[in-house]
Amino acid sequence: MNNAQKILLTLSLAYGTYKVISYFWAKDKANTRAKRHTFDRQHWTKRSISTYTGANNTPILIALDGKVYDVSEGRAFYGPGCAYNVFAGRDASRLLAKQEFDDGMTDAELDAPIDKLDDLTEEDREALDSYIGLFSVKYQC
């Protein structure tokens, strides 16, 4: 076996070891994630979800297509002052489906009916479904 083959074999073994360790580490985190917060599975409204933005160390909730996800584990992304905080404490379905972002909820939005998303294009729906898949794997619903 020449040096190039030895290097390739060593790198392959290192990568395989990394993948195995990463798998079990992520699995362990997933098993503990659901225990952090428990919510009364109430009928959520836009106004009731809006109180869960991570402010004052509260949990962080995001609604997508009728399901409410506890994304508190992602506080570094969704918490106050973070890049994706615009999604926290609200129904982010339309924002993520259309990749259109705003400056946050208004009082008029809080009292408006839940968006039925009837007018989403097939492309928008696929985008939303991919986010729902991601959230379903990563966060408690």
Side-chain angles (χ1 to χ4, degrees):
M1 194 182 312
N2 65 32
N3 281 343
Q5 290 173 324
K6 288 179 183 177
I7 290 171
L8 186 59
L9 178 63
T10 302
L11 289 174
S12 297
L13 289 172
Y15 180 74
T17 302
Y18 164 77
K19 292 301 278 183
V20 169
I21 290 170
S22 296
Y23 169 78
F24 286 109
W25 182 70
K27 187 176 178 183
D28 184 51
K29 280 188 78 175
N31 288 336
T32 60
R33 182 178 299 125
K35 299 173 187 167
R36 286 201 65 189
H37 304 291
T38 54
F39 296 98
D40 177 20
R41 298 296 178 220
Q42 63 182 337
H43 174 72
W44 293 103
T45 64
K46 287 182 177 183
R47 193 166 291 282
S48 64
I49 293 170
S50 72
T51 61
Y52 295 98
T53 61
N56 300 317
N57 210 28
T58 60
I60 304 170
L61 300 182
I62 295 176
L64 290 176
D65 200 18
K67 292 184 178 178
V68 178
Y69 296 89
D70 178 0
V71 300
S72 301
E73 284 288 320
R75 188 171 295 277
F77 302 105
Y78 302 107
C82 296
Y84 302 109
N85 182 250
V86 69
F87 304 123
R90 68 189 297 188
D91 181 355
S93 303
R94 183 166 296 278
L95 298 174
L96 292 171
K98 294 193 158 289
Q99 293 295 298
E100 295 174 353
F101 309 113
D102 58 21
D103 295 326
M105 293 282 284
T106 64
D107 277 337
E109 278 182 90
L110 285 174
D111 295 324
I114 299 289
D115 190 346
K116 292 186 169 101
L117 308 169
D118 318 15
D119 62 335
L120 293 182
T121 65
E122 189 175 321
E123 186 177 284
D124 294 339
R125 191 72 203 166
E126 286 176 11
L128 178 57
D129 288 344
S130 68
Y131 280 106
I132 291 169
L134 174 70
F135 276 61
S136 296
V137 170
K138 289 185 76 167
Y139 303 113
Q140 176 187 357
C141 181

